[in-house]
Amino acid sequence: MVRSFGILRTELRRSVAPSAGGVLVLLTLGFLYLISGPWEKGPTMWTAQWTSMALWTRFLLVFLWPLAVGFGALQGMRDHRSGMTELLATTSRPPLSRAVRTAGASALTLTAAFACPVLLGAIHVHTSDGHWHTGWLPLSLVGALSLVAGSVFGMGMGKVAPSALTPPLLAAAALMGTLTMQQAQDPMAGERIVPLRFALLSPANGPVRDVLTTFSASVHAGQVIWLAGLGTTGVALLVAARRRARLAAVSSALAAGVIALAVLPPTSSRTYVVDTVMAAPQCNGRVCVTRAHSSRLPDLVGPAYQALRIMRERLGDQAPLTMNESTVQQAPGTVRPRSRTTLFLYFDDWSVTHARGTDLVRSLIASGLAPTCLSPEDGSRRKIREIAAQSVAVAWATGELEPLPGTLWSRDEAMALAQPVWETLHSRPEQEQRSKIDAMRRAAFSCQGDPLGALTKGGQP
Amino acid sequence: MKTFVGASELAPKTYAWEIDAKGLSVRAGRRRAVDGIDLRLGTGVHGLLGPNGAGKTTLIRALATVLRPAGGSLHMLGHAVGDAGDQRAVRRAIGYLPQEFGYYRRFTVREFVEYMAWLKEVPKKEIPGAVQRAVERVGLADRADDRMKSLSGGMVRRVGIAQALVNDPRILLLDEPTVGLDPAQRLRFRELLKSLADETCVVVSTHLVEDVAAACTDVILFADGRLVFQGTPRELEAIGGPEDIGGSPLDRGYSALLASTDREAGTW
């Protein structure tokens, strides 16, 4: 075994592998640490949780994978470029044995290169409040496998078509593929250029939208089948000497692709599933959050009970009794689930994640009295009217009109809308106030009609 | 230092000739570059002489198992070479320096020769010693840890000879090995060939008659894909007369034989 290790060591030092590994590590770390984007801030940042770390590092395969393919092609051309083809053809060792060493060197360096950001991320997640679970491992393992398979496939192509154009063309084609398919893999993608099932053949997933969803097992299975087939084709191309053998080699990837497409899920809901470990409820009495956000529970409980108590006082048996973090994935263009008995919490909502103390109490009351029909990122005129209605509702419950916490809309505008409505409402008899509030709540819970309009007109006899 | 002796080295030979060709034809592209030759070679240094385009390289490539015979039969070390032949056993026992010797530029001399030894299935434990011996034999021990790309043309050629020798081949095929060597290196190379003659069947293709005169036990003269002469250098010398072109007796023998064969138009 000593000598075969010697050959592997030589390949590790002298082949394209170490350069490829180095380039991949530098690009990944540069991207994660130096470039600003959703991966480095917010609740879904790459160091927040194990799954988000695994998904963001795999997100980077959008350019790492084409590079691995290109470097592989460069490596595959080595015998031809060096004029060694003839001499090598006269040696007795089977070509597979040689291919395994060369491909092995690339596999080791690329896996190590991919492991670097994953390990760094693991340290970040571990030292922050990430919850350990093993559900993220398949994501990273498939990611590493994709680099190995891509590189070996590139080697095979470089061997078969040893032209100076092969590596750049192959890498460019791979980049086109990963970019297109990544767009189609985004769970929030509206119109998909390619069907989701087909897009899932690319190892580069879309941006991480929340920390409670992960890929389903059938995604992992389909991807492993496809990548194994692609890698097998690469090895077979490295070994094949004749045209017929090369055609047979390509059939391995095609067959794997067909099987993978049968295994991969066709719909978004079967692709992205709730991560049961991370979504497990952690409760303090009637207030529950997911395990992913259990560290927020201590700060949340006080304001939550206060909000539940105030709503109980004002709404009586109409008030929500419990508070739960929602684990429902929201499809684009749909409204969030709402219930009159349970107040649903969302940690992608700035007013929940950043507000403290009385601000948080008012924010929770707002969600309990008039849950929003629009996304937290919405900044439209309709959103401002919604905020104004919520502000008036909170003022009705607490007796004081104050701006709600939030950033994506103008507080002054919201307050300018809310002020006259509140003053009118406040001047009315208690029973009329309540009937207007009920009308507003009907509008908010059904997402039909204008809640602010309901406060001015609704409930009038 | 212990030397490992494999069972195959101790076993008695089961063949009469290291290389045994009967009616051997080999194609180079569409042309029949080797055209039905009979050739029997045992141990010794066999100089393969002939004008450019005579088919020397094609014959060597067929012996190196790069090209398959198009007709006739070829046995090497008792194994039939070709479609049904046991190529692997033959390949383990040959050393080959192609006319255009390519190499991995980023490897060091030692790494490269080690790699070739591994490809020729030299037992793992013996590789370091075999590599060191091969590198020393071509006088590159002091450059063994230099990168291949830092070597001069002559040194690269010597690495080519070292890799051909590393598995202690029983058939050593050298195509124009002295190209790029300076006169002193050429002299040392001839000494090396002589030292191999007792145990190895060496086939050296060259167009330099003096290489043959100095180092070969046997001369094979090749023209237009056919064998024109096989014998000792002395016998070749005897064929030439004072009227033949050449500065040495061997040159004159060579000219005499080539003049007697039908030379086609277009040769120089």
Side-chain angles (χ1 to χ4, degrees):
Chain A
M1 287 313 290
V2 177
R3 288 323 302 173
S4 76
F5 177 70
I7 297 302
L8 186 62
R9 190 181 50 196
T10 304
E11 288 285 32
L12 280 172
R13 291 165 70 184
R14 307 297 179 206
S15 69
V16 173
S19 326
V23 168
L24 258 60
V25 169
L26 288 179
L27 281 174
T28 314
L29 298 185
F31 191 90
L32 287 172
Y33 284 103
L34 302 178
I35 298 177
S36 173
W39 47 86
E40 49 87 51
K41 55 177 178 268
T44 57
M45 66 192 280
W46 78 288
T47 55
Q49 293 294 346
W50 291 97
T51 303
S52 51
M53 181 273 289
L55 282 170
W56 276 122
T57 42
R58 258 186 71 166
F59 171 85
L60 300 184
L61 288 174
V62 68
F63 58 85
L64 300 182
W65 196 75
L67 277 175
V69 174
F71 274 118
L74 201 60
Q75 177 67 51
M77 286 165 56
R78 181 177 65 171
D79 294 348
H80 181 85
R81 234 177 29 213
S82 312
M84 289 266 295
T85 320
E86 176 162 328
L87 185 57
L88 293 169
T90 68
T91 57
S92 55
R93 190 168 283 278
L96 181 62
S97 174
R98 210 165 83 75
V100 164
R101 299 305 191 287
T102 315
S106 281
L108 282 176
T109 42
L110 290 176
T111 306
F114 189 67
C116 266
V118 171
L119 288 176
L120 273 174
I123 294 170
H124 281 298
V125 176
H126 182 72
T127 51
S128 61
D129 53 4
H131 286 275
W132 169 255
H133 64 113
T134 51
W136 65 279
L137 275 168
L139 293 167
S140 290
L141 290 176
V142 172
L145 172 68
S146 78
L147 286 178
V148 173
S151 147
V152 176
F153 175 72
M155 279 182 209
M157 293 300 285
K159 174 92 187 291
V160 173
S163 150
L165 289 175
T166 305
L169 284 182
L170 208 56
L175 183 64
M176 294 266 287
T178 52
L179 280 172
T180 313
M181 292 180 175
Q182 185 170 60
Q183 188 275 338
Q185 274 196 35
D186 185 351
M188 294 292 155
E191 278 286 294
R192 290 200 164 89
I193 309 171
V194 286
L196 179 61
R197 180 181 265 176
F198 187 70
L200 286 169
L201 291 176
S202 164
N205 52 262
V208 185
R209 298 296 186 180
D210 65 68
V211 293
L212 298 179
T213 49
T214 186
F215 276 137
S216 64
S218 51
V219 175
H220 298 315
Q223 288 179 337
V224 166
I225 292 169
W226 158 240
L227 293 168
L230 197 65
T232 308
T233 290
V235 172
L237 285 177
L238 276 176
V239 175
R242 298 175 184 212
R243 184 179 291 181
R244 193 176 291 174
R246 287 173 181 168
L247 286 176
V250 174
S251 68
S252 148
L254 291 178
V258 170
I259 299 171
L261 284 175
V263 172
L264 288 167
T267 59
S268 194
S269 61
R270 281 162 65 184
T271 301
Y272 308 97
V273 293
V274 172
D275 187 333
T276 48
V277 177
M278 296 305 279
Q282 309 282 301
C283 300
N284 183 325
R286 289 179 287 142
V287 181
C288 297
V289 295
T290 62
R291 181 172 289 149
H293 295 117
S294 60
S295 65
R296 312 293 299 270
L297 193 56
D299 284 345
L300 184 70
V301 169
Y305 272 104
Q306 203 180 338
L308 287 174
R309 184 179 51 76
I310 291 171
M311 286 189 278
R312 180 84 186 160
E313 281 168 8
R314 295 298 273 150
L315 287 174
D317 56 5
Q318 296 278 300
L321 300 170
T322 55
M323 212 179 278
N324 281 345
E325 182 180 348
S326 169
T327 58
V328 174
Q329 305 162 65
Q330 193 187 1
T334 61
V335 295
R336 292 184 155 170
R338 54 211 55 235
S339 153
R340 283 182 185 266
T341 52
T342 300
L343 192 160
F344 286 119
L345 283 169
Y346 295 90
F347 279 94
D348 62 349
D349 189 340
W350 191 93
S351 60
V352 174
T353 49
H354 285 74
R356 293 278 177 275
T358 51
D359 266 357
L360 181 55
V361 174
R362 281 189 291 114
S363 186
L364 294 171
I365 294 173
S367 303
L369 291 179
T372 177
C373 294
L374 302 168
S375 100
E377 283 103 47
D378 198 314
S380 69
R381 183 80 200 153
R382 204 175 142 215
K383 179 76 178 177
I384 291 170
R385 288 187 69 80
E386 195 179 62
I387 294 290
Q390 284 185 323
S391 308
V392 174
V394 174
W396 173 77
T398 61
E400 218 171 329
L401 181 69
E402 271 184 76
L404 285 172
T407 49
L408 286 161
W409 28 267
S410 157
R411 286 181 185 207
D412 292 346
E413 251 182 279
M415 287 304 280
L417 279 173
Q419 191 76 40
V421 178
W422 164 238
E423 278 164 11
T424 314
L425 181 74
H426 193 47
S427 63
R428 297 291 166 189
E430 181 62 31
Q431 204 163 0
E432 193 184 330
Q433 283 185 33
R434 175 63 193 263
S435 72
K436 281 181 192 290
I437 288 290
D438 285 346
M440 180 215 66
R441 294 191 77 209
R442 277 194 296 278
F445 275 89
S446 64
C447 286
Q448 278 170 357
D450 173 24
L452 192 64
L455 280 171
T456 48
K457 299 189 206 87
Q460 281 179 346
Chain B
M1 193 188 77
K2 272 189 188 171
T3 334
F4 295 89
V5 181
S8 61
E9 288 174 56
L10 298 171
K13 285 206 299 189
T14 55
Y15 49 88
W17 304 95
E18 266 71 7
I19 296 169
D20 188 354
K22 289 192 185 76
L24 177 68
S25 296
V26 188
R27 288 182 188 282
R30 290 186 159 195
R31 205 166 60 89
R32 203 175 266 266
V34 172
D35 195 4
I37 62 163
D38 294 327
L39 188 67
R40 286 176 162 179
L41 302 174
T43 52
V45 180
H46 312 280
L48 192 56
L49 271 178
N52 291 333
K56 301 189 296 284
T57 292
T58 304
L59 176 62
I60 290 231
R61 294 181 76 201
L63 297 178
T65 72
V66 177
L67 298 177
R68 283 158 188 268
S73 74
L74 174 61
H75 283 78
M76 293 172 72
L77 305 170
H79 298 281
V81 175
D83 286 330
D86 184 1
Q87 308 263 70
R88 193 166 173 183
V90 173
R91 284 175 172 171
R92 236 179 250 147
I94 58 176
Y96 174 44
L97 172 66
Q99 191 171 34
E100 283 172 23
F101 167 61
Y103 54 91
Y104 295 151
R105 291 167 53 80
R106 291 159 60 94
F107 280 42
T108 66
V109 172
R110 191 186 303 283
E111 284 165 349
F112 184 78
V113 180
E114 195 178 74
Y115 194 60
M116 291 307 298
W118 178 74
L119 287 176
K120 294 178 188 192
E121 300 183 283
V122 174
K124 287 164 188 169
K125 285 181 183 169
E126 294 175 29
I127 288 180
V131 169
Q132 184 62 27
R133 274 198 305 284
V135 170
E136 280 170 5
R137 281 179 114 165
V138 296
L140 282 174
D142 56 334
R143 300 296 298 268
D145 295 313
D146 289 1
R147 298 277 190 111
M148 291 291 287
K149 63 182 170 193
S150 71
L151 304 183
S152 69
M155 288 178 185
V156 167
R157 207 73 196 149
R158 281 146 70 194
V159 176
I161 296 166
Q163 65 79 24
L165 287 173
V166 73
N167 54 332
D168 290 326
R170 281 193 268 161
I171 297 176
L172 179 61
L173 307 162
L174 305 170
D175 199 352
E176 303 280 2
T178 53
V179 172
L181 299 188
D182 64 30
Q185 289 166 354
R186 193 169 290 175
L187 286 176
R188 278 199 292 274
F189 172 67
R190 290 172 188 163
E191 293 305 313
L192 174 64
L193 285 187
K194 284 182 196 165
S195 74
L196 294 166
D198 288 342
E199 291 181 345
T200 316
C201 170
V202 187
V203 182
V204 189
S205 150
T206 181
H207 59 272
L208 296 173
V209 177
E210 68 257 35
D211 281 343
V212 172
C216 294
T217 53
D218 187 32
V219 185
I220 303 153
L221 187 56
F222 223 63
D224 296 329
R226 290 172 187 279
L227 205 62
V228 178
F229 170 85
Q230 185 179 4
T232 63
R234 283 285 168 81
E235 288 167 344
L236 182 57
E237 280 173 15
I239 292 169
E243 71 285 359
D244 292 308
I245 310 160
S248 69
L250 208 57
D251 273 340
R252 286 191 284 274
Y254 176 81
S255 313
L257 275 173
L258 288 187
S260 68
T261 63
D262 263 344
R263 306 295 309 278
E264 281 173 24
T267 46
W268 189 55

